[in-house]
Amino acid sequence: MNIILLGPPGAGKGTQAKRLETERGMIQLSTGDMLRAAVAAGTALGQKAKSIMEAGQLVPDDLMIGLISERLDQDDTKNGFILDGFPRTTAQAEALDVMLEKKGLKLDYVLQLVVDDAALTGRIVGRYTCAKCGKGYHDEFEKPAIDGVCDACGSTEFKRRADDNAETVMSRLEAYHGQTAPIIPYYKQAGKLKTVDGMAEIDEVTREIKAILG
Ligand code: ADP
Ligand code: ADP
Ligand code: ZN
């Protein structure tokens, strides 16, 4: 099965994608993670993307489309993929349709995580991940069982994203409402859109998604 997780920054896309990976053997394709890896490695893409990401704006469509097209050609997508953070514009959504057709791949569902804007800042500012294995946490909503120790790998080192601050959140939300939300009708018309109550607790959101995917 191939799906898109759609929703504003902090909606829970990454959290749910990781659960689908573990439970279904699908692979999470997070364009945000790919860009952060490119920035850390100092590649040409990373150099172009760094300041754009720090400002909370969107990286140009041609770069993103090229990045995801190459990624879809790798073998680990064969058991199904979860697009997390792509597409984010109408141009990206249209280009995705064209590339999937060319590659002989099918999109099954677009799951829209619906969350009130007011809840997003708190989710983003409280977000952190394990520096070793990447497991996601939240200061309030998803704490490790033992304070300061990763549940998954036992590491005691954690990190926070440079763009997860209250100022950048405003630009990221603007980008979502102005440039990303307009793709919702596109998928509705295609009969692929399913909405999920992203305000529910993490486990409940997982259950809702399971009910849709079967
Ligand atoms: P996204 O990938 O959509 O930006 P994340 O999955 O990284 O969002 O979630 C943002 C933060 O909110 C994380 O710290 C995560 O632990 C927390 N979170 C995710 N889903 C929920 C939820 N349903 N309720 C409360 N907090 C959540
Ligand atoms: P979040 O999980 O909070 O929604 P992401 O990790 O998906 O954020 O993305 C972080 C940043 O990377 C975005 O604010 C944007 O600058 C850039 N980015 C990620 N995916 C895309 C995309 N498909 N198109 C344009 N920019 C992107
Ligand atoms: Zn860990």
Side-chain angles (χ1 to χ4, degrees), residues 44-94:
L45 171 66
Q47 286 172 21
K48 284 183 199 146
K50 188 170 189 278
S51 60
I52 301 173
M53 293 171 77
E54 279 167 359
Q57 290 162 358
L58 296 183
V59 174
D61 286 333
D62 56 334
L63 297 178
M64 299 312 301
I65 291 163
L67 182 69
I68 211 75
S69 177
E70 273 182 28
R71 185 65 187 82
L72 284 172
D73 289 338
Q74 291 176 26
D75 273 348
D76 59 358
T77 60
K78 298 281 183 285
N79 288 330
F81 55 80
I82 307 150
L83 288 172
D84 164 6
F86 184 95
R88 258 178 156 95
T89 63
T90 304
Q92 291 180 19
E94 289 170 355

Side-chain angles (χ1 to χ4, degrees), residues 88-154:
R88 258 178 156 95
T89 63
T90 304
Q92 291 180 19
E94 289 170 355
L96 177 65
D97 274 351
V98 173
M99 75 175 82
L100 290 178
E101 168 108 52
K102 261 193 206 149
K103 296 178 196 293
L105 295 166
K106 180 173 160 276
L107 186 64
D108 294 283
Y109 294 109
V110 178
L111 303 184
Q112 182 196 355
L113 294 177
V114 183
V115 179
D116 298 344
D117 272 10
L120 295 172
T121 306
R123 285 204 192 170
I124 290 171
V125 172
R127 164 163 63 190
Y128 63 98
T129 52
C130 171
K132 197 172 161 206
C133 76
K135 183 173 175 0
Y137 293 98
H138 190 279
D139 290 325
E140 216 181 311
F141 310 127
E142 204 185 3
K143 298 181 186 174
I146 304 165
D147 224 22
V149 182
C150 176
D151 292 342
C153 76

